[in-house]
Amino acid sequence: MKEFFDRCYYGALDRIAGRPYACLVSAGSDGAGAARQVERICTGWRLRAVTPPLIVNLGAQTPQPAAAPCGARWSRARRR
């Protein structure tokens, strides 16, 4: 994901400043670190968050449990 943002940064910077964004993180464990990184990148792009990140915690550390239907835990990241 970071590589995508890095490649697109200068070409998109002035074209998307001020636009809204929302973030959904599918995590095998916590997911808060990924949500923080997306927030930092979007701040650099001058985007405006419309809602706190939504973190779906699947509790899976391997592909098999992640793909299986389960009772995922949903949480909203806390805003500072």
Side-chain angles (χ1 to χ4, degrees), residues 61-76:
Q61 299 299 317
T62 61
Q64 293 79 14
C70 67
R73 294 178 300 269
W74 298 70
S75 66
R76 289 274 180 189

Side-chain angles (χ1 to χ4, degrees), residues 1-19 21 38-48:
M1 182 171 70
K2 183 182 179 317
E3 190 240 334
F4 167 77
F5 282 126
D6 287 346
R7 275 187 291 134
C8 297
Y9 182 78
Y10 291 106
L13 182 60
D14 293 328
R15 296 169 55 183
I16 63 171
R19 288 193 183 179
Y21 81 92
V38 168
E39 185 176 8
R40 288 182 65 216
I41 290 167
C42 291
T43 297
W45 270 16
R46 301 181 194 116
L47 298 175
R48 180 176 48 88

